[in-house]
Amino acid sequence: MKNLTIRYFAILREQRGLTEETLTTTAATPTALYDELQARHHFTLPADRVRAAVNDEFVAATASLRDGDRVVFIPPVAGG
Amino acid sequence: MKNLTIRYFAILREQRGLTEETLTTTAATPTALYDELQARHHFTLPADRVRAAVNDEFVAATASLRDGDRVVFIPPVAGG
Amino acid sequence: MFRLSPTPLNPADLAQALTDERAGACVTFEGWVRSRNDGQSVFALDYEAYPLLAEKEGARIVAEAREKFSVLAAHCVHRTGHLAIGELAVWLGVTAEHRGDAFEACRYLIDEAKARVPIWKKEHYAGGASVWINCATRGDHVHLPGQPA
Amino acid sequence: MFRLSPTPLNPADLAQALTDERAGACVTFEGWVRSRNDGQSVFALDYEAYPLLAEKEGARIVAEAREKFSVLAAHCVHRTGHLAIGELAVWLGVTAEHRGDAFEACRYLIDEAKARVPIWKKEHYAGGASVWINCATRGDHVHLPGQPA
């Protein structure tokens, strides 16, 4: 079990209804964590359209999550 | 014989020492006219680096010159 | 230089930082909020950013452009917050000795920024609907009042 | 729109004419007088134009860009007269719905204008020499004071 901080932006922020939460999870990777959150909060974006950042850096979907990590799931971007 | 008006710009204006002149010539084409003027005024630009305009439109070097035409020889351009 | 701005962008002010005696070419790109997008009448939009990562990724893109092209300066500023039609969403300015580098670096910067920087756009339509751009999923639609859902 | 200007160009003023609700992209190109060109220290320069034909040819180039690319506006203004280092020699502004057209049209305009519009540039060097650019012929050289001719 690890404690993680999740920050939400844009469509995920709206669908979650908050900007940040901490949670205790067994999820080992960003993908596993997204699957867990998606099931709970009915996020419409499938996992393969969301990138992950840990501690303010992009990481692979299969990266190892560690206790205390700050995680952000990044919906498809649309700047410009 | 025909009467032509010649306007000079840039390096040709400086080498000719005036901006406009009229002259009477037998030159049938811009190329023939440029050869005549180059011999007389020692223009440094060879004929193949000069374009011709007649009555404010580009013309071929072999176009026919007519009495009353206004001729400009155009040195290599360098705008921008 | 890449930064986010919560306040309106002024191109004349931004361009002043580009002044350079060695520069022969300056190319700017401005992204404006259009009144129509994909056939819909747009009323306004919101940009939301993940600030820390947006600025890191933006800085990386600027560094890449400087490696790939011979440029003197490359600046990019992106708005966040609520924007009306005609407002400036993003401003880029690139200077170089020669124009080829300035054009190519500017194009590279905006293409990469749009593809990689974590900034999101929500469009608000005339009828009251709104959509997060690029985030539609199967079954989503924009429900316009007066049309069947 | 293509025109010549004997007076300094102000980008902010010029850009105002581009305002268009339908435009999503605005690309500008500015040509600045550089302090060095081809290894020589430039002091100032003069642009001379053949006004009537320059404006005709410029208008043709703008019309070509409008045919080739989907643009909303395409404006080009070129200075004439005496310019100091850092001054704006040419300003182009192109708007389009999408950025690809704006970039490509702007690049087309400046490339064609430089190649085709009857405008000439005389560079004045720090040492007092001056040269009509692109008009050197075999045996020409720039005679700098203090150097053998």
Side-chain angles (χ1 to χ4, degrees):
Chain A
M1 297 296 274
K2 53 183 78 81
N3 292 303
L4 302 174
T5 304
I6 325 284
R7 284 179 72 192
Y8 295 103
F9 291 100
I11 193 171
L12 293 176
R13 175 181 53 71
E14 289 189 350
Q15 292 181 351
R16 180 64 187 92
L18 49 76
T19 60
E20 189 170 322
E21 65 182 331
T22 55
L23 60 79
T24 305
T25 179
T26 58
T29 65
T31 295
L33 177 61
Y34 189 78
D35 288 345
E36 180 184 326
L37 294 167
Q38 189 183 23
R40 197 178 307 158
H41 305 300
H42 308 292
F43 295 151
T44 53
L45 284 170
D48 64 4
R49 294 188 58 199
V50 172
R51 293 183 71 188
V54 171
N55 303 330
D56 302 317
E57 276 300 345
F58 290 113
V59 298
T62 55
S64 293
L65 293 176
R66 287 190 269 193
D67 190 53
D69 277 348
R70 289 172 293 109
V71 182
V72 176
F73 292 105
I74 298 173
V77 304
Chain B
M1 299 294 275
K2 54 184 77 82
N3 292 302
L4 302 174
T5 303
I6 326 283
R7 283 179 73 193
Y8 295 103
F9 292 99
I11 193 170
L12 293 176
R13 175 181 54 70
E14 288 189 352
Q15 292 181 351
R16 180 64 187 93
L18 49 75
T19 59
E20 188 171 320
E21 66 182 332
T22 56
L23 61 78
T24 304
T25 179
T26 58
T29 66
T31 295
L33 177 61
Y34 189 77
D35 289 344
E36 180 184 326
L37 294 167
Q38 188 183 24
R40 195 178 307 158
H41 305 299
H42 308 292
F43 296 151
T44 54
L45 284 169
D48 64 4
R49 294 188 57 200
V50 173
R51 294 183 71 184
V54 171
N55 302 329
D56 301 317
E57 276 299 348
F58 290 113
V59 298
T62 55
S64 294
L65 293 176
R66 290 190 266 192
D67 190 54
D69 276 349
R70 291 171 291 110
V71 182
V72 176
F73 293 105
I74 297 173
V77 303
Chain C
M1 183 274 276
F2 180 95
R3 66 180 174 85
L4 300 170
S5 171
T7 54
L9 308 182
N10 182 320
D13 291 348
L14 293 166
Q16 281 189 344
L18 297 174
T19 303
D20 188 330
E21 283 208 341
R22 300 165 298 169
C26 175
V27 173
T28 71
F29 172 82
E30 298 181 7
W32 296 351
V33 180
R34 281 188 295 160
S35 60
R36 295 191 73 77
N37 193 19
D38 281 336
Q40 301 245 35
S41 187
V42 177
F43 175 69
L45 56 79
D46 286 288
Y47 279 109
E48 180 170 340
Y50 173 3
L52 207 60
L53 190 49
E55 287 180 351
K56 275 189 199 177
E57 189 71 357
R60 276 191 282 261
I61 291 167
V62 169
E64 289 163 16
R66 289 184 156 284
E67 268 178 38
K68 286 174 194 291
F69 309 102
S70 183
V71 304
L72 293 162
H75 293 184
C76 179
V77 189
H78 202 296
R79 268 299 304 277
T80 56
H82 192 73
L83 281 77
I85 301 304
E87 270 201 86
L88 190 46
V90 58
W91 180 90
L92 276 86
V94 177
T95 54
E97 281 191 48
H98 303 291
R99 70 187 184 286
D101 288 300
F103 272 108
E104 286 162 38
C106 192
R107 184 72 194 265
Y108 180 84
L109 287 169
I110 186 61
D111 286 355
E112 294 296 311
K114 285 176 85 93
R116 292 163 47 187
V117 176
I119 297 175
W120 301 274
K121 175 164 63 175
K122 187 178 193 177
E123 284 187 350
H124 301 282
Y125 302 110
S130 61
V131 167
W132 287 100
I133 299 301
N134 295 345
C135 293
T137 50
R138 197 167 45 165
D140 283 5
H141 60 271
V142 178
H143 184 198
L144 298 174
Q147 293 187 347
Chain D
M1 182 273 276
F2 180 97
R3 67 181 174 83
L4 300 170
S5 170
T7 55
L9 309 182
N10 181 322
D13 291 349
L14 294 166
Q16 282 191 343
L18 298 174
T19 303
D20 188 329
E21 284 209 341
R22 299 165 299 169
C26 174
V27 172
T28 70
F29 172 81
E30 297 182 9
W32 296 351
V33 180
R34 281 189 295 159
S35 60
R36 295 190 74 77
N37 192 19
D38 279 339
Q40 302 244 35
S41 187
V42 177
F43 176 69
L45 55 78
D46 287 288
Y47 279 108
E48 179 170 341
Y50 173 1
L52 207 61
L53 190 50
E55 287 179 351
K56 275 189 198 175
E57 189 70 356
R60 277 191 282 259
I61 291 167
V62 169
E64 289 163 16
R66 290 184 155 285
E67 268 178 39
K68 287 175 194 290
F69 308 102
S70 183
V71 302
L72 293 162
H75 292 184
C76 179
V77 188
H78 202 296
R79 268 298 304 277
T80 57
H82 192 73
L83 281 77
I85 302 303
E87 271 201 84
L88 190 47
V90 58
W91 180 90
L92 277 86
V94 177
T95 53
E97 281 190 48
H98 302 290
R99 71 186 184 285
D101 287 301
F103 272 107
E104 286 162 38
C106 192
R107 183 72 194 263
Y108 180 85
L109 287 168
I110 186 61
D111 287 354
E112 294 297 311
K114 284 177 85 92
R116 292 163 47 186
V117 176
I119 297 175
W120 300 276
K121 175 162 64 175
K122 188 179 192 175
E123 285 188 348
H124 301 283
Y125 302 110
S130 61
V131 166
W132 287 101
I133 298 303
N134 294 345
C135 293
T137 51
R138 196 167 45 166
D140 283 5
H141 59 272
V142 178
H143 184 197
L144 299 175
Q147 292 186 349

